[in-house]
Amino acid sequence: MASYRIVSADSHFVEPPNMWSERIDQRFRDHAPHTVKNYKDREGEFFMCENIQPVAVAGFFGSGKSSEELPQHIKRGFDAAPGSVWNPSERLKEQDRDGVSGEILYTSMGMLLFGLDDPELRGACFKAFNDWAGEYCSYNPKRLIGTGTVTLENVDEGVKELQRCAKKGLRGVLIWGSPPEDKPYSDPVYDPFWAASQDLDMPISLHILTGRRGTRFSRRHVLRSYMTLPHEIQVSFADLVLGGVLERFPRLKLVSAENDISWLPHFCYRIDHAYDRLRHFEGTALPMKPSNYMKRQAWATFQFETENVGFTADKYGRDKLMWSSDYPHTDSPWPRSRDFIENEIKSISDQDKRGIVADNVLRLYGINLN
């Protein structure tokens, strides 16, 4: 396995608890995201902001804990956080321990802020995060490959923030995994943003837990909530394809992040079948089969779904699949990622494995580690 280079396509920053209060626009300081300890009758430290559901922060750095340890770990706070929360040089040490050469880094707590009801506060939070993330990744931009956060309540402002992220050295951005119901991604109002994204070559990610309506992830019903996470993302991709967005913007690059991959062949079958049988009800006409747009422009990350990698690579595209560690979140194999890849991903050739665990993500984001 030593010959394999590993680059995680979906890992995470963990924002320090005082980051927003220190960096957000002065007008929003009294409403900035923050943490509180022992919220109501629950032990632990909780991330809070306006209308979002309080979330225990320890879950954002639960990697390396066994499933039996997690219920107690979740009662901890930032006292249990790894050094990389504050120090990017510590992040490189964590990568080295895991045998990883680099990571695409997404926000952690910022994912929840996509559900904020106040669009101005949301935009101010995202700008503060983007400033911090750009500075963090500047320590080693080849190994710390940062993505920003952009809200699209005002598309023109979203374009400006996308451009600002690019200037800061961030390599892509997150947007709503599912937009407002009255403004789906098929709406031409978003076209200036798609155009800017393809012109800047900035991949756009749709990540779990980033819907406009909030995470809707219930700790009380954690198993059932977990099962629902990819659904909204699938609807968003259907809107992007059937609404002609990928036809109008053929160089737009989309990433399905942390939504697994086995659904992609079935999604392609179903969207083609729907188009074949039902398109005349809506007057939809595309030059290509809908599945061809997905296979051309949509990449996808996975973690543990190893048995189906070969099947999905054959049916969807081996150049569009990317393994991720999700470090330092609870659902991560760190610090055993190299062993995990060697022992669990067996249904593909060595050449395909090299692409899926590193080369595909490097090509997507234009990264040269040499």
Side-chain angles (χ1 to χ4, degrees):
M1 187 62 191
S3 64
Y4 286 79
R5 181 166 57 187
I6 301 173
V7 178
S8 171
D10 174 12
S11 295
H12 291 270
F13 301 103
V14 179
E15 302 87 340
N18 59 345
M19 186 275 286
W20 278 282
S21 62
E22 292 178 349
R23 291 176 175 267
I24 201 169
D25 186 288
Q26 186 67 41
R27 292 181 299 146
F28 300 98
R29 291 285 165 90
D30 292 340
H31 302 277
H34 59 282
T35 65
V36 297
K37 294 184 178 179
N38 301 326
Y39 175 71
K40 294 186 175 179
D41 61 344
R42 297 164 62 187
E43 185 179 352
E45 187 170 356
F46 294 83
F47 178 73
M48 304 180 68
C49 186
E50 298 293 291
N51 64 283
I52 67 169
Q53 174 183 306
V55 174
V57 300
F60 293 122
F61 39 82
S63 55
K65 303 296 180 183
S66 69
S67 58
E68 292 82 7
E69 292 174 311
L70 285 176
Q72 282 302 119
H73 171 76
I74 212 73
K75 298 177 182 179
R76 302 288 300 276
F78 271 98
D79 61 304
S84 61
V85 167
W86 294 274
N87 190 339
S89 68
E90 293 297 316
R91 185 65 180 234
L92 299 183
K93 295 177 184 178
E94 290 160 9
Q95 289 182 1
D96 291 340
R97 183 179 175 190
D98 204 26
V100 169
S101 298
E103 298 170 286
I104 306 300
L105 296 172
Y106 291 103
T107 178
S108 283
M109 290 172 281
M111 293 189 295
L112 311 179
L113 301 179
F114 279 95
L116 280 174
D117 287 340
D118 184 340
E120 291 191 358
L121 175 60
R122 189 190 318 125
C125 289
F126 285 177
K127 287 181 180 179
F129 167 78
N130 294 337
D131 289 342
W132 176 81
E135 292 175 16
Y136 186 103
C137 292
S138 67
Y139 184 82
N140 190 325
K142 286 189 175 183
R143 297 185 65 181
L144 305 173
I145 307 161
T147 62
T149 49
V150 173
T151 184
L152 292 176
E153 208 92 40
N154 180 315
V155 175
D156 290 340
E157 290 300 315
V159 169
K160 292 178 183 178
E161 189 60 16
L162 177 70
Q163 294 167 339
R164 207 174 72 90
C165 286
K167 290 179 181 178
K168 287 184 170 294
L170 300 175
R171 306 305 291 256
V173 297
L174 276 176
I175 60 173
W176 285 310
S178 57
E181 289 185 349
D182 62 348
K183 197 165 72 171
Y185 284 143
S186 54
D187 193 320
V189 70
Y190 297 107
D191 280 5
F193 185 79
W194 311 135
S197 172
Q198 73 169 9
D199 289 345
L200 291 167
D201 196 20
M202 290 276 278
I204 303 299
S205 291
L206 308 182
H207 197 289
I208 61 167
L209 302 175
T210 59
R212 170 60 194 91
R213 289 176 289 173
T215 65
R216 295 190 292 176
F217 191 86
S218 169
R219 186 176 174 187
R220 181 175 298 177
H221 303 290
V222 63
L223 296 177
R224 182 168 58 187
S225 297
Y226 186 87
M227 293 302 297
T228 69
L229 292 179
H231 297 171
E232 292 181 333
I233 304 292
Q234 294 166 359
V235 173
S236 292
F237 273 104
D239 284 335
L240 286 160
V241 172
L242 296 173
V245 174
L246 302 190
E247 168 61 27
R248 296 195 299 276
F249 302 99
R251 293 180 288 110
L252 178 64
K253 298 175 180 178
L254 301 172
V255 180
S256 168
E258 206 171 331
N259 298 295
D260 297 329
I261 56 174
S262 291
W263 59 273
L264 286 164
H266 177 261
F267 179 91
C268 287
Y269 148 74
R270 192 167 180 85
I271 199 171
D272 284 348
H273 182 73
Y275 180 77
D276 180 56
R277 296 293 296 159
L278 304 173
R279 69 182 183 275
H280 297 293
F281 283 99
E282 299 184 10
T284 301
L286 296 170
M288 297 195 304
K289 290 168 55 176
S291 62
N292 288 342
Y293 294 101
M294 285 290 295
K295 294 174 182 179
R296 184 178 72 183
Q297 292 174 249
W299 284 252
T301 76
F302 72 98
Q303 292 159 251
F304 296 107
E305 201 180 2
T306 55
E307 291 185 3
N308 300 317
V309 173
F311 171 80
T312 307
D314 289 339
K315 297 295 184 179
Y316 184 74
R318 48 196 24 85
D319 62 327
K320 294 297 191 294
L321 306 183
M322 305 182 296
W323 180 81
S324 63
S325 75
D326 198 36
Y327 182 75
H329 289 182
T330 299
D331 212 12
S332 171
W334 184 94
R336 303 175 304 278
S337 291
R338 184 166 286 274
D339 291 339
F340 176 83
I341 289 170
E342 173 68 12
N343 295 323
E344 300 297 332
I345 304 179
K346 297 181 177 179
S347 60
I348 54 176
S349 68
D350 285 348
Q351 180 177 350
D352 287 344
K353 185 180 288 189
R354 289 187 178 90
I356 287 170
V357 303
D359 294 345
N360 292 346
V361 68
L362 294 175
R363 282 194 296 268
L364 174 62
Y365 288 96
I367 303 297
N368 183 356
L369 291 180
N370 298 325

